[in-house]
Amino acid sequence: MDFDYSEEQLMIKAAARDFAVRECLPGVVDRDEHQQFPKTQINRLAELGLMGMMVSPEWGGSGLDTVSYVLAIEEISKVDPSVSVCMSVNNSLVCYGLERFGSDLIKRKYLTGLARGIKDGQLYIGAFLLSEPEAGSDATSQRTTAVRRGGEYILNGMKNWITNGNSASVYIVFAQTDPLQGSKGISAFVVEKRWSGVQVGPKENKMGIRGSDTHSVGFTDVRIPLENRLGEEGEGFAQAMKILEGGRIGIAAQALGIAAGAYERALSYASQRKAFGVSLATHQAIAFKLSDMATRIEGSRWMCLHAAWQKDKGMDFSLSGSMAKLVSSETAMWVTTEAVQVLGGYGYVKEYHVERMMRDAKITQIYEGTSEVQRIVISRNILGKRTATSSEESLRKETIREVVEAGMGEEPLAQN
Ligand code: CAA
């Protein structure tokens, strides 16, 4: 049985596959080795209309659905996940965030260019700045501040592990506007990289997705005009959570693609390579590995498509998106490790790709919510919101609530 794809979805899948094989495969080993940002490939993605795939044409996007997006990300990730993460962050974190929460002014000024991926003939992409040196999974503990002064905010702080950190022209930055309010004191702003006081740190020397552009970004007295705030003050954390729900489908599809790419290589090698007089795939030890790989990949694919389908239908996809990301990223790590095993000595050598895929797979269990964070989201969905709380902030809020409730309970007695 197969998903009931439309002709348009199949066309997007074929175009993405063609782009990946023709334009991403050449040089992928070198780009990994030298940590080279795939600028030519991202420019081509922009020309193909894949940098703002789901944005309405009114704002410069291609107006496609999330299923098409999953298919495109999977195909590109089979070959180069450094390309697909740049695409995923621009599409599902930045463009989605601006289209959903931005004013018409913000959309006109930023989204139209970001959805095309090009402005004034130059690459024009965005980044999502939530994580900090001491606030990754515990995102409400961030310390960056935006203090309102007249008609502007003054931004100070530091953000870490920012995908597209240097290549982006536009950042969505989350900052405390009222630190006493916890998650309700966080607001989101659109900040331009070229503004005075923005400093981009050196590129991180990473284990995997080495072509992608990961940097810290610091802010010293950066002046943000009032109209660059996304929505109202205090809405930033909930906005970040909503944006990440969609982002997780993109990373789930990336993980799926990494797993599928490694499996295709393992299958092809095992079918050709001979050992003990027969093809490797004839040995049950290898045939069973290939069966498990294919089965887990198929499961991940259905979960990604289900989450995407729910999003396209306007249904709640918080649970299905987190489940898809959890299963696909764990599958990617497992399948790529097994692919290295199937290829044996060749698997350990760079030009056979699967060792890079194994390194690339690891990050999918970490970014846009670690596997542990996905389990928090999943358990809250199935057991009730306050179960499996891990953050001190939630405990603090619980304590405040209990104290307030106890106080309110006593008040009528005192009045009597
Ligand atoms: N939609 C709307 N509101 C939401 C929400 C959602 N999905 N999730 C939470 N909220 C609201 C809650 O309702 C709550 O409000 P109330 O107090 O009124 O109920 C408020 O936000 C705070 O939520 P929690 O109490 O649940 O917050 P928490 O501190 O317990 O944290 C968490 C929950 C799920 C662990 C969350 O912090 C989280 O998702 N952390 C991971 C962050 C993350 O994914 N970072 C990745 C960085 S981006 C990245 O990697 C990009 C890149 O470059 C590739």
Side-chain angles (χ1 to χ4, degrees), residues 131 137 163 184 237 241-242 245 248 368-369 380 391 394:
S131 303
S137 292
T163 306
K184 298 279 189 296
F237 187 75
M241 293 298 109
K242 280 282 160 223
E245 284 179 2
R248 284 164 187 164
E368 298 199 26
R380 284 181 180 180
S391 80
S394 298

Side-chain angles (χ1 to χ4, degrees), residues 151-352:
E152 59 189 16
Y153 287 87
I154 308 298
L155 181 70
N156 280 286
M158 166 71 80
K159 297 289 177 178
N160 256 33
W161 308 296
I162 305 305
T163 306
N164 300 344
N166 191 41
S167 45
S169 303
V170 177
Y171 299 141
I172 298 182
V173 181
F174 297 87
Q176 294 276 4
T177 41
D178 187 352
L180 293 178
Q181 297 298 318
S183 68
K184 298 279 189 296
I186 294 172
S187 308
F189 301 91
V190 181
V191 173
E192 296 183 32
K193 188 181 115 188
R194 64 191 174 104
W195 286 351
S196 168
V198 176
Q199 311 104 27
V200 178
K203 183 165 177 160
E204 300 290 355
N205 187 1
K206 305 190 299 281
M207 171 200 261
I209 55 161
R210 286 168 58 79
S212 86
D213 196 24
T214 313
H215 294 255
S216 58
V217 182
F219 303 101
T220 312
D221 295 333
V222 176
R223 297 170 60 186
I224 311 174
L226 217 57
E227 69 257 24
N228 275 33
R229 192 184 64 218
L230 274 190
E232 298 300 320
E233 258 194 29
E235 291 180 353
F237 187 75
Q239 290 167 347
M241 293 298 109
K242 280 282 160 223
I243 294 169
L244 281 166
E245 284 179 2
R248 284 164 187 164
I249 298 181
I251 300 304
Q254 184 197 35
L256 166 66
I258 297 171
Y263 164 73
E264 283 174 11
R265 287 184 182 278
L267 180 64
S268 150
Y269 179 85
S271 309
Q272 287 160 27
R273 169 87 169 177
K274 290 224 167 7
F276 306 101
V278 290
S279 84
L280 212 51
T282 314
H283 294 284
Q284 195 181 61
I286 302 299
F288 278 13
K289 268 193 209 309
L290 294 169
S291 313
D292 287 354
M293 285 178 179
T295 307
R296 290 196 194 192
I297 290 167
E298 197 57 13
S300 301
R301 184 172 292 114
W302 277 96
M303 292 184 83
C304 288
L305 289 170
H306 179 233
W309 175 83
Q310 284 198 320
K311 179 165 176 278
D312 288 336
K313 293 281 174 213
M315 295 160 78
D316 188 329
F317 60 96
S318 162
L319 178 61
S320 59
S322 276
M323 282 180 165
K325 183 180 183 284
L326 177 62
V327 169
S328 301
S329 58
E330 300 291 320
T331 296
M333 199 62 238
W334 184 82
V335 167
T336 53
T337 308
E338 290 298 85
V340 171
Q341 193 69 19
V342 171
L343 269 78
Y346 292 108
Y348 208 63
V349 172
K350 287 195 187 274
E351 58 261 41
Y352 286 82

